Amino acid sequence: MASYILKRLLLMIPTLFGILVISFVVIQFVPGGPVERMIAELQGHGGEATARFAGGGGGDSGSAGAMAASATGQGSQYRGAQGLDPEFIAELEKLYGFDKPAPERFWIMLKNYARFDLGQSYYRDVGVWSLVTEKMPVSISLGLWSTLIIYLISIPLGIKKAVRDGEPFDMWTSAAIFVGYAVPSFMFAILLIVLFAGGRYLDIFPLRGLLSDGWQDMPWWRVAADYAWHMVLPTLALVISGFASLTLLTKNSFLDEIGKQYVLTARAKGLAERDVLYGHVFRNAMLIVIAGFPAAFISIFFTGSLLIEVIFSLDGLGLLGYESVINRDYPVVLGTLYIFALIGLIATLVRDVVYVLVDPRIDFEARGV
C-alpha cells in the first residue's frame, strides 16, 4: 500500500501541471483582462481609479495622474485605451505582470506554486494564500457538516428502502427523494428564508453570516451555539437537495448485493436477517457509497455551496472564486483552482485508502495501479 500511495503522490505532479496549463491557456483568451478593466475604470472614474492604481501598484501618483490625463490618440491592443498615454498602459501591464511573455509568466507561476506562493490579488492588496486560508474555514464548515448529515440520513434511509423495496414506505420516501433531487439547493434556501428567517412567516434563524455581532465577548459555549444557530438554514438547504442521489445509490447498491448467491446461502444457514444485512451485505454494498464520499464533499465544498454562500452572505471560497472570475483577478482564480485541484486529488487518494480499510481484499498494488 505504501508504494501505491507514493505512486499516486508522484502522479499528482503531472496532473496538477496539466490542470494549470489548460487553465492558464484558457485565461489568455478570455476577453476583458485586468488591464482592460482598469482602463475602463479610468475612462469612467478617472481620478478615483488613478488614485487606486497609484496606491496599489507602487507607481508614482503624480506621474500616473499625468499619464492618465494625457491624450495621444495612438492605437492600443486594449479596448478603450485610445487617448491614454502608451507609457501609462505599459505601467499598467507591468503592474499586472503582462509586460512579460506568456511562457515566462507561466514558468514564474509554476516556481512560485511549488513553494505555495500563490501571488498577490490584483484588487484586494493581499496575498492569495492569505485569502484562501481566511475563506476556507467557512466553506469547510458548510461542506463538512452538510456532507456528514447527508450520509447520516441517506445510508440508513437507503438501507431501509432496499429492505422494504416496493412497499408503501419505499413509495412515499421515493416521492420526497425525487423532489429533493429535482429542486436545486438555492431554491430550498430561499424557501427556508421565507419560512424561518423573517422573510414572511417566522423569524427564528439569522439571515446572514456565521456569527452574531459581539461574539468576541461571548463565552466559548455561546459562540459554539451561535455558530450552530447560524449554520442551520444553509446546511439544511444543502442537505435537502443533496441526500437524494446518495439515498438512491445506497438503495441500489444494497439491492444488488441482496440478490447475490452468498446472501441466499447465509439465509439458508439460518442466520438472522439483521446479521445477514449488516454482517455480510453491508461491507460489499458500502464500497460504492464510500467511493462517492470525496466527490460528494468536493461538490458541496466547491460548487454546491456557491449560491448558498451568496444567499446567506457566507464569505467562503465559493464566493471568493466567483468574485475573482467576475473581476478578472487572475492570481486568485489560478491560486484557488490550484488549491481545489490539490484537495481533490488528495481526497481521491484518501478514498482509495479507505477502500482498503473497509475491504482488505482490495489490493491496488497487485493490480499495478
Side-chain angles (χ1 to χ4, degrees), residues 87-107:
E87 293 184 11
F88 176 68
I89 301 299
E91 284 206 24
L92 277 180
E93 291 179 330
K94 184 177 181 180
L95 171 67
Y96 295 118
F98 287 91
D99 56 328
K100 302 179 179 67
E104 183 179 351
R105 284 186 278 122
F106 181 71
W107 175 244

Side-chain angles (χ1 to χ4, degrees), residues 38-361:
M38 180 59 72
I39 289 172
E41 291 191 15
L42 287 168
Q43 297 287 19
H45 315 283
E48 177 186 351
T50 304
R52 282 182 54 202
F53 163 69
D60 178 70
S61 59
S63 61
M67 286 188 288
S70 65
T72 64
Q74 298 180 9
S76 172
Q77 61 173 318
Y78 300 107
R79 184 171 48 188
Q82 291 77 12
L84 293 177
D85 194 302
E87 293 184 11
F88 176 68
I89 301 299
E91 284 206 24
L92 277 180
E93 291 179 330
K94 184 177 181 180
L95 171 67
Y96 295 118
F98 287 91
D99 56 328
K100 302 179 179 67
E104 183 179 351
R105 284 186 278 122
F106 181 71
W107 175 244
I108 293 173
M109 184 187 75
L110 285 182
K111 291 192 296 184
N112 291 336
Y113 279 17
R115 306 191 305 267
F116 282 91
D117 178 6
L118 305 182
Q120 198 85 358
S121 170
Y122 287 158
Y123 307 112
R124 297 174 184 257
D125 196 28
V126 66
V128 176
W129 181 255
S130 298
L131 276 175
V132 170
T133 53
E134 177 187 346
K135 313 297 184 184
M136 189 175 288
V138 177
S139 295
I140 288 179
S141 295
L142 192 57
L144 185 61
W145 289 120
S146 301
T147 306
L148 288 177
I149 294 174
I150 286 172
Y151 266 73
L152 289 174
I153 294 174
S154 299
I155 292 175
L157 181 59
I159 295 173
K160 194 167 185 178
K161 283 176 65 64
V163 173
R164 298 190 177 184
D165 184 41
E167 297 181 8
F169 174 83
D170 182 41
M171 298 297 181
W172 68 260
T173 53
S174 293
I177 287 172
F178 290 143
V179 171
Y181 186 81
V183 181
S185 59
F186 72 90
M187 292 296 295
F188 285 118
I190 295 172
L191 177 62
L192 291 172
I193 288 174
V194 171
L195 294 177
F196 302 112
R200 188 177 180 88
Y201 298 99
L202 303 176
D203 189 4
I204 301 175
F205 298 101
L207 178 59
R208 62 185 67 242
L210 277 180
L211 291 169
S212 301
D213 295 335
W215 63 270
Q216 298 91 339
D217 300 325
M218 299 179 184
W220 69 267
W221 60 269
R222 283 196 59 189
V223 173
D226 187 65
Y227 164 78
W229 182 47
H230 280 75
M231 286 293 292
V232 169
L233 292 188
T235 302
L236 186 58
L238 288 173
V239 168
I240 293 174
S241 64
F243 83 102
S245 58
L246 184 60
T247 300
L248 293 177
L249 177 65
T250 304
K251 175 191 173 182
N252 294 333
S253 179
F254 269 78
L255 281 177
D256 184 56
E257 292 295 325
I258 287 173
K260 291 184 177 180
Q261 184 63 42
Y262 74 90
V263 176
L264 299 177
T265 303
R267 286 172 174 167
K269 290 180 178 180
L271 290 179
E273 187 65 23
R274 184 178 183 84
D275 293 334
V276 173
L277 190 63
Y278 291 99
H280 293 76
V281 176
F282 186 82
R283 176 193 292 180
N284 296 326
M286 285 302 295
L287 285 175
I288 191 171
V289 178
I290 292 172
F293 181 83
F297 176 70
I298 297 299
S299 175
I300 293 177
F301 186 26
F302 297 134
T303 58
S305 63
L306 170 58
L307 290 177
I308 300 299
E309 289 182 8
V310 174
I311 292 172
F312 290 99
S313 300
L314 303 176
D315 196 9
L317 283 176
L319 185 58
L320 173 66
Y322 172 76
E323 291 178 345
S324 63
V325 171
I326 296 299
N327 295 327
R328 302 296 192 268
D329 198 345
Y330 293 158
V332 178
V333 173
L334 288 169
T336 52
L337 181 64
Y338 172 71
I339 296 298
F340 292 170
L342 185 60
I343 293 177
L345 291 170
I346 293 174
T348 305
L349 177 59
V350 171
R351 177 200 65 187
D352 293 343
V353 173
V354 174
Y355 255 152
V356 177
L357 294 177
V358 173
D359 190 352
R361 295 172 298 176

